[in-house]
């Protein structure tokens, strides 16, 4: 009876068009395990031939095998089918069941509408349907709805079981390096001691260095490698050692599994207009967060501290409220300066005015967001100087304890390095012995295999020798040299920390790290004459400082006063402006406004600005003569005086001030060839 009904729905206009046999299996695994279902779908071609279609006009679409029917984005076969129906080329669409065509009501109803307009039939195992017939359309719609509901129930059951298992911490997933599953399915540490040591070394290095890139840089300098376990592919489960990358470092530091926490739901799928997107979720939206579920490499407190440090190292943003990683500039309060007017974080720029680099703390929130005026714009030279002095007062009592703790850390670090290289040497030795046993067990007559095993043995010997040499070098040279250098620095730290702080070789980054270790933030409030600093320490105590508001650093102003006093002494000693400038430059003095070396022009300006002693009284008191006085004594003109000075016939010194250029030593006589000859009439001729 069904065949008679089907034949009555098939018209000549349907038979002259193509018949499409659409095949789909949801996953590649079903293709392997449910092969019978695939064969049944291919067999629909014979059914179409029985219904009257010529075999040459039957097209099989099987490009969607292994694709889910929940959507149409990645199903190119389904998209091609819809386009053929839209062009009126399809007489019938055959599928073993409507769920093969689509499990989405939106896609299914859209296909039914297009089939109705193009007068295309739909066939499944139950019969042939004409979409333009109300009863058939109602039945197809009901089947499509049931197909979508079936998929929903399947997903809900599978998802519910998965989440319940995850909430108990029993859902087995690929584990991070350093962990494996035991025979009971429990998470335990990798029994490989070298793997455990490598992971512990990474966390200890980050705790000491403070940044992921710093860890990678140190690993590269030391020649360390990091373990990696293959989770898929040909070498499934194999352990390899590779260079540490910044991405792997960030993944390790931010993974809660190393703190003994079983977490599930960090990445969740969200459906948007652009399709399904995988989004990284905040911790409160995780499905599971079980602390203490397995052995840990670090404590939960260390894990939280590492994540806070990583957040601080990221670029500063308004929503995060932190100051970002410490940079190379000289501004000591970069990232921890707050505006005393609006309370927001102050930004930073560096002034190059008058050829003098100086930080400027500024609050630009109102200007950038509301078009108003900036709250504050304060020169930071004196601010950094005052805060630096305060830090020295706070740090000096701590230097001895810090030195002792660093010495302990230094000894532990040396032990870590030696243990890591020793384990690497032991691993290569084992692999060398294993390659040797393989070679000795082979039949000597089988040269093809023996030669290959011999090459492998020789390679393992070379790797063992390299690892042994690296271990010996670390023991004898590098580690010992580093220890001596650090011990010398610690001795200096205990004796005089201010000298280390003021040492030009101490980087601005290190100073900022020290400041952030002690200070929570510094609130800056300025007016035309003073700057008030509200300093908040990590422990909760506070302190208020009031300093002058000046565009110059007080240290430079003091240096100028010291230079003026030095110039006064040098003038009294009889030196000229050029000689005074050379003396000041040799002692490291520079000008306050430009930071440049002194010259004779700036010395003359200093003498005028500070009203230093005039050189004329000094010259007279010292007995030296001016050029005019010497010309009157010798009865010569200025031209002859200059020629005598240039030829070295006179003893003089430079002066360059108060109109006096040169001073001449008294008691000099006029050379004979410069003296005037007497008239001929006055010469007495001998008889």
């Amino acid at each position: 009876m069904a065949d008679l009904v089907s034949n009555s729905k098939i018209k000549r206009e349907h038979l002259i068009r193509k018949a499409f046999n659409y095949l789909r299996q949801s996953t590649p695994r079903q293709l392997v395990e449910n092969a019978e279902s695939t064969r049944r779908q291919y067999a629909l071609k014979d059914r179409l031939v029985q219904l009257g279609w010529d075999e040459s006009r039957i097209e099989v679409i099987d490009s969607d095998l292994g694709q889910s029917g929940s959507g149409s984005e990645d199903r190119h076969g389904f998209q091609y089918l819809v386009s053929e129906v839209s062009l009126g080329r399809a007489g019938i669409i055959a599928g073993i069941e409507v769920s093969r065509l689509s499990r989405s009501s939106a896609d299914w109803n859209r296909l039914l509408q297009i089939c109705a307009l193009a007068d295309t039939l739909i066939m499944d195992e139950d019969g042939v349907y004409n979409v333009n017939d109300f009863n058939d359309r109602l039945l197809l719609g009901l089947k499509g709805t049931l197909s979508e509901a079936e998929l929903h129930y399947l997903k809900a059951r599978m998802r519910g079981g998965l989440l319940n298992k995850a909430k108990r911490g029993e859902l087995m997933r690929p584990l991070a390096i350093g962990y494996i599953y035991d025979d009971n399915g429990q998470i335990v540490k990798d029994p490989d001691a070298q793997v455990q040591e490598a992971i512990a070394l990474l966390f200890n290095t980050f705790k000491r260095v403070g940044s992921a890139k710093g860890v990678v840089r140190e690993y590269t300098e030391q020649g360390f490698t990091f373990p990696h376990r293959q989770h898929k592919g040909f070498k499934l489960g194999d352990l390899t050692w590779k260079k540490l990358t910044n991405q792997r470092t960030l993944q390790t530091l931010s993974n809660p599994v190393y703190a003994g926490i079983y977490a599930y739901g960090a990445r969740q799928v969200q459906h948007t207009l652009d399709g399904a997107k995988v989004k990284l979720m905040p911790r409160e939206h995780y499905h599971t967060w079980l602390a203490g579920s397995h052995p840990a490499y670090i404590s939960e407190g260390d894990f939280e501290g590492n994540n806070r440090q990583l957040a601080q190292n990221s670029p500063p943003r308004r929503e995060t409220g932190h100051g970002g990683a410490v940079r190379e500039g000289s501004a000591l309060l970069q990232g921890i300066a707050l505006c005393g007017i609006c309370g927001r974080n102050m930004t930073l720029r560096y002034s190059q005015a008058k050829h003098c680099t100086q930080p400027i703390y500024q609050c630009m929130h109102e200007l950038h967001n509301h078009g108003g005026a900036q709250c504050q714009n304060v020169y930071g030279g004196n601010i950094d100087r005052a805060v630096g002095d305060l830090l020295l007062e706070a740090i000096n009592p701590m230097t001895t304890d810090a030195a002792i703790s660093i010495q302990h850390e230094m000894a532990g670090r040396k032990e870590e390095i030696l243990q890591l290289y020793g384990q690497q040497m032991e691993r290569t030795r084992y692999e060398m012995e294993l390659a040797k046993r393989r070679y000795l067990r082979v039949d000597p007559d089988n040269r093809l295999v023996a030669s290959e095993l011999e090459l492998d043995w020789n390679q393992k010997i070379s790797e063992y020798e390299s690892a042994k040499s690296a271990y010996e070098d670390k023991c004898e040279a590098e580690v010992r040299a580093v220890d001596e250098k650090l011990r010398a620095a610690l001795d200096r730290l205990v004796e005089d920390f201010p000298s280390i702080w003021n040492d030009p070789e101490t980087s601005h980054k290190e100073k900022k790290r020290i400041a952030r270790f002690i200070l929570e933030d510094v609130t800056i409030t300025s007016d035309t004459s003073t700057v008030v600093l509200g300093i908040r320490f990590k422990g909760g105590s506070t302190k208020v400082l009031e300093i002058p508001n000046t565009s110059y650093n007080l240290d430079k102003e003091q240096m100028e006063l010291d230079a003026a006093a030095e110039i006064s002494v040098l003038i009294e000693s009889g030196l000229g402006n050029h000689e005074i400038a050379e003396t000041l430059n040799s002692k490291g003095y520079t000008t306050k406004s430009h930071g440049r070396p002194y010259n004779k022009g700036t010395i003359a300006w200093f003498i005028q600005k500070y009203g230093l002693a005039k050189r004329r009284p000094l010259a007279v008191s010292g007995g030296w003569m001016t050029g005019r006085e010497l010309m009157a004594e010798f009865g010569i003109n200025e031209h002859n005086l200059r020629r005598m000075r240039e030829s070295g016939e006179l003893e003089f010194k430079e002066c360059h001030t108060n109109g006096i250029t040169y001073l001449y030593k008294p008691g000099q006589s006029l050379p004979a060839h410069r003296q005037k000859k007497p008239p001929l009439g006055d010469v007495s001729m001998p008889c």
Side-chain angles (χ1 to χ4, degrees):
M1 185 65 180
D3 289 340
L4 293 176
V5 175
S6 300
N7 291 331
S8 65
K9 295 178 181 178
I10 300 173
K11 308 296 182 184
R12 182 177 179 278
E13 55 267 23
H14 297 134
L15 295 174
I16 63 176
R17 288 184 280 175
K18 284 185 176 182
F20 291 93
N21 183 16
Y22 181 80
L23 285 73
R24 186 185 64 79
Q25 290 281 76
S26 296
T27 62
R29 182 176 179 178
Q30 289 183 355
L31 289 174
V32 178
E33 297 180 355
N34 301 335
E36 190 62 32
S37 176
T38 307
R39 283 192 289 268
R40 289 176 58 204
Q41 295 184 67
Y42 277 111
L44 285 179
K45 182 177 180 181
D46 298 333
R47 178 78 181 280
L48 290 171
V49 173
Q50 294 176 4
L51 291 176
W53 269 270
D54 187 81
E55 190 172 353
S56 62
R57 303 194 63 78
I58 300 174
E59 183 174 348
V60 178
I61 301 176
D62 56 1
S63 59
D64 289 343
L65 289 172
Q67 295 287 341
S68 173
S70 59
S72 59
E73 293 83 4
D74 298 326
R75 290 198 294 154
H76 302 294
F78 181 78
Q79 295 174 7
Y80 168 71
L81 175 64
V82 173
S83 65
E84 290 296 297
V85 174
S86 303
L87 295 173
R89 298 173 183 172
I92 191 171
I93 300 173
I96 193 171
E97 55 190 24
V98 296
S99 63
R100 303 297 174 179
L101 290 169
S102 178
R103 285 188 179 272
S104 169
S105 294
D107 294 337
W108 177 243
N109 290 327
R110 191 177 300 112
L111 177 62
L112 293 181
Q113 291 176 358
I114 297 174
C115 289
L117 295 174
D119 192 21
T120 300
L121 303 176
I122 295 178
M123 185 189 80
D124 62 9
E125 278 193 326
D126 296 330
V128 178
Y129 307 94
N130 185 351
V131 185
N132 289 307
D133 182 83
F134 174 76
N135 292 323
D136 287 356
R137 186 183 183 100
L138 182 64
L139 183 57
L140 289 173
L142 181 59
K143 284 190 173 185
T145 302
L146 292 175
S147 176
E148 184 176 26
E150 181 185 13
L151 181 62
H152 168 74
Y153 294 140
L154 288 173
K155 286 185 175 179
R157 286 197 297 266
M158 296 174 63
R159 183 68 174 170
L162 183 145
L163 290 179
N164 283 339
K165 208 168 186 179
K167 288 178 180 179
R168 297 194 305 269
E170 298 175 0
L171 180 63
M172 298 182 69
R173 298 172 297 156
L175 293 174
I177 188 67
Y179 286 102
I180 62 172
Y181 287 107
D182 62 8
D183 295 337
N184 297 322
Q186 300 296 318
I187 301 176
V188 296
K189 286 186 177 181
D190 194 317
D192 192 323
Q194 187 179 3
V195 173
Q196 295 186 22
E197 184 65 26
I199 294 172
L201 179 63
L202 186 145
F203 285 108
N204 292 337
T205 305
F206 178 78
K207 186 176 182 180
R208 175 168 38 85
V209 175
S211 69
K213 289 187 177 179
V215 173
V216 176
R217 191 180 303 113
E218 180 156 331
Y219 266 61
T220 302
E221 293 174 354
Q222 297 288 347
F224 295 157
T225 54
F226 196 74
H228 174 80
R229 195 172 295 281
Q230 195 75 18
H231 289 297
K232 58 183 178 180
F234 175 68
K235 297 183 178 180
L236 180 65
D238 284 2
L239 180 67
T240 58
W241 293 80
K242 301 179 180 179
K243 289 185 177 180
L244 184 65
T245 62
N246 188 61
Q247 181 181 6
R248 175 53 61 89
T249 305
L250 292 173
Q251 289 175 349
T252 304
L253 293 171
S254 59
N255 196 337
V257 71
Y258 292 105
I261 300 171
Y262 182 93
Y264 182 77
R267 289 174 173 82
Q268 300 179 20
V269 178
Q270 292 186 345
H271 296 278
T272 65
L273 293 176
D274 298 328
K277 302 290 184 182
V278 178
K279 185 178 180 182
L280 188 64
M281 306 300 293
R283 184 180 302 177
E284 56 269 17
H285 292 161
Y286 281 23
H287 298 305
T288 306
W289 185 272
L290 297 176
S293 67
H294 54 268
Y297 283 91
I298 58 175
S299 65
E300 292 185 47
D302 289 340
F303 171 73
E304 299 292 346
N306 292 343
N307 281 271
R308 283 195 300 269
Q309 183 64 49
L310 291 175
Q312 290 289 336
N313 292 345
S314 62
R317 298 181 179 92
R318 289 189 180 93
E319 61 270 18
T320 58
H322 65 78
V326 294
R327 307 293 301 196
E328 294 79 4
S330 61
L332 185 63
L333 304 183
Q334 173 240 319
I336 59 174
L338 301 180
C339 177
I341 297 177
C342 67
R344 295 184 174 90
N345 284 65
M346 300 187 77
T347 57
L348 177 68
R349 68 182 178 91
Y350 288 92
S351 170
Q352 296 290 341
K354 301 180 180 179
H355 305 278
C356 180
T357 302
Q358 185 177 190
I360 298 179
Y361 298 103
Q362 54 188 5
C363 181
M364 310 291 288
H365 180 79
E366 288 295 326
L367 178 63
H368 288 164
N369 294 278
H370 306 294
Q374 60 180 359
C375 293
Q376 295 185 96
N377 192 71
V378 189
Y379 283 90
N382 289 336
I383 296 175
D384 290 352
R385 175 176 175 266
V387 175
D389 293 342
L390 181 63
L391 290 176
L392 291 178
E393 295 177 5
I395 291 175
N396 258 330
M398 302 162 52
T399 53
T400 304
D401 295 337
I404 295 173
S405 63
I406 292 176
Q407 283 181 335
H408 288 307
E409 179 185 345
M410 186 174 59
R413 183 185 172 202
K414 176 181 178 180
E415 188 65 28
E416 285 180 350
I417 294 175
L418 295 181
Q419 185 174 357
L420 187 65
Y421 274 89
Q423 290 171 344
Q424 182 67 25
M425 182 181 66
E426 183 63 25
R427 179 180 295 276
T428 55
R429 188 198 64 78
Y430 168 75
E431 293 176 352
M432 178 187 67
E433 294 293 337
L434 183 62
K436 177 183 177 181
R437 291 196 298 269
R438 288 173 180 170
Y439 173 73
L440 294 178
R441 283 199 302 264
V442 73
D443 186 358
D445 294 333
N446 191 353
R447 298 306 305 165
L448 294 177
V449 177
S451 60
E452 193 67 26
L453 292 177
E454 185 180 8
L455 289 175
D456 182 60
W457 184 19
N458 291 332
Q459 181 181 355
K460 297 302 181 182
I461 293 175
S462 177
E463 292 177 358
Y464 170 71
E465 293 296 334
S466 298
K468 182 180 179 182
S469 176
Y471 174 74
E472 293 174 350
D473 291 343
K474 291 294 179 181
C475 289
E476 297 178 2
E478 186 172 348
V479 175
R480 191 169 299 167
V482 171
D483 288 352
E484 291 174 358
K485 183 178 179 181
L486 288 177
R487 285 197 178 93
L490 290 174
D491 293 339
R492 290 180 57 202
L493 179 67
V494 175
E495 293 173 1
D496 188 11
F497 184 81
S499 64
I500 299 177
W501 177 271
N502 298 318
D503 191 342
E505 294 184 1
T506 303
S507 66
H508 297 301
K509 278 188 174 183
E510 297 302 326
K511 291 182 179 180
K512 292 178 186 178
R513 288 195 179 102
I514 295 174
R516 291 190 179 188
F517 179 75
I518 299 175
L519 304 178
E520 187 70 35
D521 52 54
V522 177
T523 302
I524 301 175
T525 308
S526 66
D527 55 28
T528 55
S529 59
T530 59
V531 177
V532 178
L533 303 178
I535 302 172
R536 191 158 61 104
F537 294 89
K538 287 288 187 181
S541 60
T542 60
K543 188 177 182 64
V544 177
L545 296 179
E546 185 173 334
I547 60 175
N549 187 1
T550 174
S551 60
Y552 297 107
N553 194 313
L554 295 180
D555 290 336
K556 293 187 176 182
E557 292 190 353
Q558 184 61 44
M559 182 182 292
E560 183 174 291
L561 295 175
D562 295 341
E566 186 75 17
I567 291 173
S568 178
V569 174
L570 295 175
I571 288 176
E572 294 179 359
S573 65
L575 297 181
N577 288 7
H578 183 70
E579 296 168 327
I580 293 175
E582 290 182 346
T583 303
L584 292 180
N585 294 335
S586 65
K587 294 183 178 181
Y589 286 97
T590 57
T591 60
K592 180 185 74 172
S593 58
H594 296 78
R596 295 176 178 174
Y598 284 92
N599 55 38
K600 60 183 180 181
T602 54
I603 298 300
W605 179 83
F606 256 80
I607 293 174
Q608 181 179 1
K609 176 182 179 180
Y610 289 97
L612 302 181
K614 305 297 182 181
R615 273 204 174 79
R616 179 176 293 276
L618 292 175
V620 173
S621 62
W624 290 77
M625 303 175 63
T626 64
R628 294 182 182 275
E629 294 171 344
L630 190 63
M631 286 189 292
E633 180 179 339
F634 288 165
I636 58 177
N637 56 26
E638 186 176 353
H639 174 71
N640 289 331
L641 179 64
R642 178 175 58 80
R643 294 184 64 181
M644 293 170 63
R645 187 175 65 246
E646 293 176 352
S647 62
E649 298 173 3
L650 295 176
E651 188 174 348
F652 66 94
K653 65 179 180 180
E654 295 184 14
C655 183
H656 300 296
T657 188
N658 301 112
I660 302 175
T661 305
Y662 300 98
L663 295 175
Y664 300 88
K665 189 174 182 179
Q668 301 184 71
S669 59
L670 189 67
H673 65 279
R674 299 287 185 186
Q675 297 178 3
K676 295 182 178 180
K677 297 181 180 180
L680 293 176
D682 296 338
V683 178
S684 300
M685 299 297 293
C687 298

